Amino acid sequence: MNIVNVRRISQAFFLALFLWFCIVGTFGQEWWQLRGWPVNWFLQLDPLTALGTVLTTGTLYAGLAWAIVATLFLGRFFCGWVCPFGSMHQAVGYLGRRAKPLSHSLRVNSHHPLQSIKYYLLLFLLAAASGSLLAAGIRIAWGVPLVIPVLAAVGIILAGVTARRFQAQRKKAAGILLALVGAWTVLAFFFSVDRMLGASLLTGLLDPIPLVHRSVNLVLLPLADATIQKLSVSQRYTEGAWLIGSVFAGALLLNLVRPRFYCRFVCPLGALFGVISRYSVWRIGRTSGECTRCGVCDAGCEGACEPSSRVRIHECVLCMNCLNSCSHDLITFGTAPSASGQLVSPDMSRRGFVLTLVSGVAVVPAMRLGGYTAKNWNPVLIRPPGSLSEIDFLSRCIKCGQCMRVCPTNIIHPAGLQAGFEGLWTPVLNFRIGSSGCQMNCIACCHVCPTAAIRPISLDEKLGRNAFHEAGPIRLGTAFVDHGRCLPWAMDKPCIVCQENCPVSPKAIHVKEHFVTVRDGIRVVTAAAGSVLDTAGTPLKPGGLATGDYYLRFGNASGEQRHLIFENTERGITVDPGFSPEPGISAGETVEIQVRLQRPQVDPDRCIGCGVCEHECPVSGKRAIRVTAENESRNRKHSLLL
Amino acid sequence: MTGISSENERGLNRREFILRTCKAGIAAAAAGSLGYLLHDGLGPGPPSEAGDAQVSLPDFSIPGFEGKLSIVNGMDRVKSVHLALKSLGGIEAFVKKGDRVLIKVNAAFATPPILSATSNPELLGEVVRLCLAAGAASVVVTDNPINDPGSCFALTGIGDAARSAGAQLVFPRDGFFRATTVAGGTLIRDWPLLYTPFENVNKVIGMAPVKDHHRSGASMIMKNWYGLLGGRRNIFHQNIHDVIMELAVMVKPTLVILDGVTTMMTNGPTGGSLSDLKQTGTLIVSTDQVAADAFGASLLGRSIRDLPFILKAESMGLGTSDFESLHPIRTSVG
Amino acid sequence: MNHRGSRTQTLVGFAVLGLLCAVAAGVFYKQSRYDVSVFTVSHPAGEVRFPAAIPAGADNLESYLPDGMKPMSALEVFGRDNLSDKIDGKAELYLSSGFVSLHCRRFVKTGSPDSWVEMFVYDMGEGRNAFSVYSAQKRAGVEEAGMGSHAYRTSNALFFVHGRHYVEVVASKEGMSDELLAMGRKFVAAQGAEKNEELRELELFPRQGLDEGSVTLRSSDVFGFDRLDQTFIARYVLDGFPVTAFISRRSSAGEAEELAAAFERFLLEFGGVSVEGDLPVPGIRMVEILDTYTVVFSHGRVMAGVHECDDRRKAEELALSLYGRLEEVSR
């Protein structure tokens, strides 16, 4: 059995498994639905997710412990043998260089210096995630006396010594001095405002597993299912699918430039595996320093790690293509070091390292200057039920889109820039797009979230029952009636759709009755016979007043009366036949046609922000009743009632 | 034509000339046929008026199959339905390969199957299997019951029967309803209709038991379409006969199966006691829902005059109450 | 080809394939184990809502359970505005008879999931209303339940009136009579002896020829006459001939007399013809309508009569007997 074939089988297996997990993301208990399928397994195997959340929260949530298995036993095998995104790249890359000459393969599969970009990206993302850890460290140090004078003294001495040492090379000395001053400034910045430091989990933007989940779940599946309509009964939508789709397609198409482009240049997870590969026992290597330099091994190399010369272990994805291709049997996978030498460390410059680290740490406070997590919080940002408060949420959410996939009403969507750049592709509720609002009895998203950015709440907690009676139901926000758009408020048209659809008991939307005289509704009676009146004025729309909402109001000495209009012609109005006006109306008197309106009002004590009203509102463009995040449970500061 | 090109022309040998002509011909033909395929002489029309806001169900009946009625006597529903369909030309006459079938059952109440307040699960299972055997690509079973759908489909046995026979069970959800207006109707106007399950469906079978009904006198095929409405539909109870007639206008089924093997004679529509039931041993399969209901009335011991909705539906041209005029095929099973 | 490595590669290959099989098996095993409570929502339109508010201290019906049965679903409570959510078209029957509330719940026999019962307790406000809905739905040819005079059972159900409650206990299959009766008895025992004082009219019907089980109480719109309510109707068989008698107790003698006169007018309006009779009953009125005879008279606070009898002689006979009984009781 050829090991390369085994690898292909493994890749096909895991790719199929991954796609299957995407397919069974449909909420339900059928065998092809969610049931107990471990749909998060790939995300849980992903050490970058695990490491990121460990940095931001100091905890490893539930299934993320699988990442340890991946780290210890798989290492770079994950890239070459397991990763579904990697398999896709490999397949596209293969198609791209098929039938091309060996020289082409040699060229595109040779190592490129810019492959080190991914290590910088990894460092940047991890630095951004470690802000709160740093802040905690600084606070601890701050608490210890003498730390600052000692640090300052050490810094000054170091600066002096290095400056002296590099006296000869002025340029370099100046550079180092500058860097130290910069670092010192940054340090001072930390000391004075360590509260500014924050952690933001941005790994999900580039981490291949969340990326491929997001792309398949939110773009490919809805597209595929639109034709067969098997997975969901109605079309599923994804807001901003273009961007997710473009990133995905772009990443795949870049394989035509260079095979496994994403893996080699971008993938922070691969970089992480690359960094830890220095500890691997078995490695690709050469048995003899002498070879014919035929280049066959280099030409088939997926990782562009150049097995023919000094093999770059950190770039090797263990595709094993070189193993059997060497006609002289010079390549082995073993414990002995390569006869032609090997490189185990990514080639990062010290300056680049520091710069990336500092900018990664600094980018979070910089992003948060926008105030999205403070006073400038965005009210349209309605998070799924059980979501943590915004800062905690951003330190956990990996933007994988699993909640969006599972939501049975398709109301969870990837955010654009509503939550700032760090909130890109995080879940946000859109009540216009789905098939209803957030369903009372559904806690699917809470239980599918792999990192507990959406907590695994119980139904009791969501509805505020039993043990949670005191706390009350979880609120996503509050509905507000837009008086400028609401039909009974703005246009005197009867409508109580939102009130009827409010699922809360007792209803959070109540109506206030108003009688309003309609346009051209003041009319002079020209003739009256029992309950049938003839009136002068603008012709009425025949039958238009017979909907049960229109009343005739008239006053006389005995007071005002209002009676339901049963039927009307252009001039004639028939009121309730069971009634004969006492005393009768005679010609020449004035009557008013009034409409009975039930104007909706929201009771903020009861509204849970489920959005059913917004979804059902017949003003279908910009809804006349809309939920915004005021009063959401997850953030007390957004409370509406004191 | 320049001198250079004519020089080249001379250089061409016959073989190359043929090759190039072929290539050019193929390319021209390909471009031409692609253009023809994609041609749209009319351009996009104006946006349709009611287009998105309102939906209506298409006519699911099969032309040329109007007025078919088969009446089978016997207590075995499975045998009866086989026999009835056979006498009408077999299920294949109605369900073709690749068809997507929707069966509207009566699952109104969360009551046990022995009370016959809901569609019989055994009969449903058999009809689903027949449809699938005839090559149906999918069979959807749905209803918007009075009681909560989960309990209704579970306790009536309809859920299990449908699933085990290979049908897809669709529970009503908020998003599945779309507004509909019955042409010429006065009641069902801009009213929520359980529409999503009907998307992509091209055959509809109505299946209901014969029941007494406190308000309408009888609940059979036409009354059973009530379960496609959403909203506060019980306000129509005031005009029950008119609304049943409008429902019959709204749904034009491929086939109806009226189960009068056991009839709920009294205390409908819920019943509750086996003593409300009578073994009437009759199964009706028809393409005329009015005729099926008219015959069903006789099982309840009612005359057509007792059930105004039948005459109203007849007057709308939806079928005939004089079922004998359809020359029903009468058979019986042992 | 690499011959040196091929043996190792085969071994490793099989190990990897074995590992993949293990992963597949693990995934397959995992999919069958899940927390069903996460899937409580089937999001049907009706279930989206919070369960109807259950009033504090509502009777959860659990105390009427015999041994070996346990609750299968939560208590449901319906009021006038949502009764039709439970019983659809039949709600009218209850609503027109003073319906107050319905408590219902399903119970299942332990270890036998197919054997379940649903108990419906209709609070009708007062005893006569309960009797009214009971009598309107009474099945023919049924068995006395042995639980007092207004109770009967069928092969799968038990129906009875107790005080202001009308109770139905319906089983999912036959052969559960013991459980049904046990629940009924426990209900009666728990509610205490509530004699239906208000049903004294039942004693006003003469015994002769009376079909005891046929007495019904109509609450409104009796005989299509909108002013006639709270009327007991009984079927008689006189020499093999069916006759219907009715009795309605009014608030005063004056009202009874006025109503009798109004009923006559109502019949005459619909094409009836007044018939002179010679019965020794004061204020008696007889109307011939559509070849049937209807007799109506008042006796004290009671308005009574015979309705649409095909035979004039039989109508007169029963009217006389009814009057005699009223005289006898009032004495």
Side-chain angles (χ1 to χ4, degrees), chain A residues 234-318:
Chain A
S234 48
Q235 171 69 45
R236 286 186 79 90
Y237 296 94
T238 304
E239 208 182 354
W242 66 273
L243 183 58
I244 295 172
S246 305
V247 169
F248 180 70
L252 286 185
L253 289 176
L254 281 170
N255 289 302
L256 302 179
V257 178
R258 275 180 179 254
R260 277 197 184 249
F261 184 97
Y262 193 88
C263 309
R264 291 181 196 172
F265 294 93
V266 184
C267 183
L269 177 60
L272 181 63
F273 279 125
V275 170
I276 59 177
S277 70
R278 64 191 303 135
Y279 306 109
S280 59
V281 181
W282 283 275
R283 297 171 183 179
I284 288 288
R286 265 178 47 196
T287 50
S288 155
E290 298 298 316
C291 87
T292 57
R293 300 224 166 254
C294 68
V296 171
C297 55
D298 285 352
C301 182
E302 282 292 317
C305 57
E306 297 185 333
S308 68
S309 51
R310 294 180 71 191
V311 56
R312 295 166 197 270
I313 296 302
H314 52 94
E315 295 292 322
C316 173
V317 297
L318 300 169

Side-chain angles (χ1 to χ4, degrees), chain C residues 151-318:
Chain C
Y152 66 93
R153 61 188 166 121
T154 65
S155 59
N156 75 312
L158 169 71
F159 305 90
F160 63 92
V161 178
H162 184 75
R164 60 205 191 113
H165 293 113
Y166 168 58
V167 180
E168 295 185 342
V169 195
V170 179
S172 66
K173 51 156 84 165
E174 292 180 279
M176 292 183 70
S177 300
D178 292 345
E179 284 85 359
L180 301 183
L181 279 175
M183 289 172 78
R185 293 217 175 87
K186 283 195 168 193
F187 181 85
V188 171
Q191 298 287 323
E194 276 186 67
K195 185 67 194 144
N196 276 328
E197 285 300 323
E198 302 140 14
L199 298 179
R200 284 190 311 250
E201 285 96 331
L202 293 181
E203 290 158 26
L204 300 181
F205 284 108
R207 300 282 132 202
Q208 177 87 38
L210 172 67
D211 175 354
E212 297 252 2
S214 73
V215 184
T216 62
L217 169 59
R218 298 275 195 83
S219 321
S220 59
D221 253 350
V222 187
F223 307 138
F225 179 41
D226 59 354
R227 284 191 54 201
L228 187 53
D229 57 359
Q230 297 298 328
T231 303
F232 287 82
I233 299 165
R235 225 177 28 249
Y236 281 79
V237 181
L238 300 177
D239 306 329
F241 203 87
V243 196
T244 303
F246 62 90
I247 285 176
S248 179
R249 187 189 293 276
R250 313 310 303 182
S251 57
S252 68
E255 194 206 328
E257 176 57 25
E258 195 273 328
L259 192 63
F263 187 42
E264 187 195 20
R265 278 201 303 280
F266 168 75
L267 293 174
L268 295 177
E269 239 175 72
F270 279 84
V273 178
S274 208
V275 182
E276 287 300 315
D278 51 358
L279 290 182
V281 177
I284 192 162
R285 301 163 170 88
M286 192 180 322
V287 178
E288 188 191 347
I289 180 166
L290 301 170
D291 295 332
T292 65
Y293 295 87
T294 295
V295 185
V296 59
F297 61 89
S298 72
H299 180 279
R301 284 170 54 196
V302 174
M303 171 199 169
V306 176
H307 186 243
E308 292 189 352
C309 178
D310 290 343
D311 185 291
R312 176 172 177 177
R313 195 80 38 94
K314 290 283 183 285
E316 289 177 339
E317 186 188 331
L318 184 58

Side-chain angles (χ1 to χ4, degrees), chain B residues 108-115 144 146-151 155-156 171-174 177 213-215 223 226 234 237-238 266-276, chain C residues 42-49 72 76 81 84-90 92-93 106 116 118 136-140 142 152 154-157 159 168 170-174:
Chain B
F109 303 102
T111 52
I114 59 158
L115 292 187
N144 180 26
I146 312 290
N147 302 160
D148 89 83
S151 321
L155 297 178
T156 55
F171 284 18
R173 287 192 215 164
D174 276 357
F177 290 88
H213 192 274
H214 183 73
R215 282 214 69 93
K223 169 73 175 64
Y226 219 105
N234 53 7
H237 276 159
Q238 304 308 322
T266 49
N267 286 313
T270 52
S273 171
L274 295 186
S275 56
D276 290 321
Chain C
S42 44
H43 24 269
E47 244 206 328
V48 177
R49 297 164 195 288
M72 177 176 166
E76 294 176 275
D81 52 343
S84 62
D85 291 349
K86 183 70 185 173
I87 59 172
D88 193 35
K90 226 199 235 177
E92 296 294 322
L93 173 70
R106 283 185 279 268
W116 53 272
E118 184 160 13
Q137 299 180 71
K138 189 159 180 193
R139 280 86 179 165
V142 292
Y152 66 93
T154 65
S155 59
N156 75 312
F159 305 90
E168 295 185 342
V170 179
S172 66
K173 51 156 84 165
E174 292 180 279

Side-chain angles (χ1 to χ4, degrees), chain A residues 16 27 73 90 105 212 297 318 330 334 377 457 474 476 614:
Chain A
F27 189 60
F73 299 103
Q90 192 161 343
S105 293
V212 70
C297 55
L318 300 169
L330 293 180
W377 62 278
I457 55 173
I474 289 187
L476 307 179
E614 182 174 341

Side-chain angles (χ1 to χ4, degrees), chain A residues 121-403:
Chain A
L121 283 172
L122 172 72
L123 184 67
F124 180 85
L125 297 173
L126 291 181
S130 57
S132 57
L133 198 69
L134 260 172
I138 290 167
R139 268 194 290 275
I140 290 168
W142 187 247
V144 180
L146 289 180
V147 163
I148 298 157
V150 169
L151 271 178
V154 170
I156 290 163
I157 292 164
L158 272 178
V161 169
T162 34
R164 267 186 73 83
R165 236 175 68 190
F166 288 103
Q167 235 168 2
Q169 302 158 281
R170 288 235 174 122
K171 218 173 168 184
K172 199 167 182 180
I176 287 172
L177 202 64
L178 215 64
L180 276 169
V181 170
W184 187 250
T185 317
V186 169
L187 213 63
F189 170 73
F190 289 166
F191 274 107
S192 55
V193 284
D194 65 287
R195 274 180 303 164
M196 251 330 253
L197 280 184
S200 185
L201 190 60
L202 299 172
T203 59
L205 296 174
L206 295 174
D207 188 343
I209 305 298
L211 191 154
V212 70
H213 257 294
R214 185 167 66 223
S215 309
V216 174
N217 279 342
L218 305 182
V219 181
L220 294 193
L221 268 185
L223 277 179
D225 197 40
T227 57
I228 55 169
Q229 294 270 316
K230 276 281 176 203
L231 296 181
S232 58
V233 189
S234 48
Q235 171 69 45
R236 286 186 79 90
Y237 296 94
T238 304
E239 208 182 354
W242 66 273
L243 183 58
I244 295 172
S246 305
V247 169
F248 180 70
L252 286 185
L253 289 176
L254 281 170
N255 289 302
L256 302 179
V257 178
R258 275 180 179 254
R260 277 197 184 249
F261 184 97
Y262 193 88
C263 309
R264 291 181 196 172
F265 294 93
V266 184
C267 183
L269 177 60
L272 181 63
F273 279 125
V275 170
I276 59 177
S277 70
R278 64 191 303 135
Y279 306 109
S280 59
V281 181
W282 283 275
R283 297 171 183 179
I284 288 288
R286 265 178 47 196
T287 50
S288 155
E290 298 298 316
C291 87
T292 57
R293 300 224 166 254
C294 68
V296 171
C297 55
D298 285 352
C301 182
E302 282 292 317
C305 57
E306 297 185 333
S308 68
S309 51
R310 294 180 71 191
V311 56
R312 295 166 197 270
I313 296 302
H314 52 94
E315 295 292 322
C316 173
V317 297
L318 300 169
C319 66
M320 303 290 168
N321 282 346
C322 53
L323 203 59
N324 294 341
S325 67
C326 179
S327 48
H328 303 280
D329 271 357
L330 293 180
I331 307 237
T332 59
F333 182 63
T335 48
S338 177
S340 54
Q342 56 188 23
L343 294 167
V344 290
S345 303
D347 33 7
M348 296 171 83
S349 73
R350 201 170 301 177
R351 234 177 291 177
F353 184 92
V354 173
L355 198 68
T356 312
L357 185 72
V358 170
S359 51
V361 172
V363 75
V364 180
M367 285 191 301
R368 293 199 176 159
L369 287 178
Y372 295 111
T373 55
K375 283 184 178 168
N376 192 25
W377 62 278
N378 191 343
V380 302
L381 191 70
I382 301 156
R383 299 281 192 197
S387 294
L388 305 178
S389 70
E390 191 61 12
I391 288 179
D392 291 339
F393 188 86
L394 292 173
S395 66
R396 279 181 180 271
C397 179
I398 54 169
K399 305 136 173 85
C400 61
Q402 293 285 70
C403 51

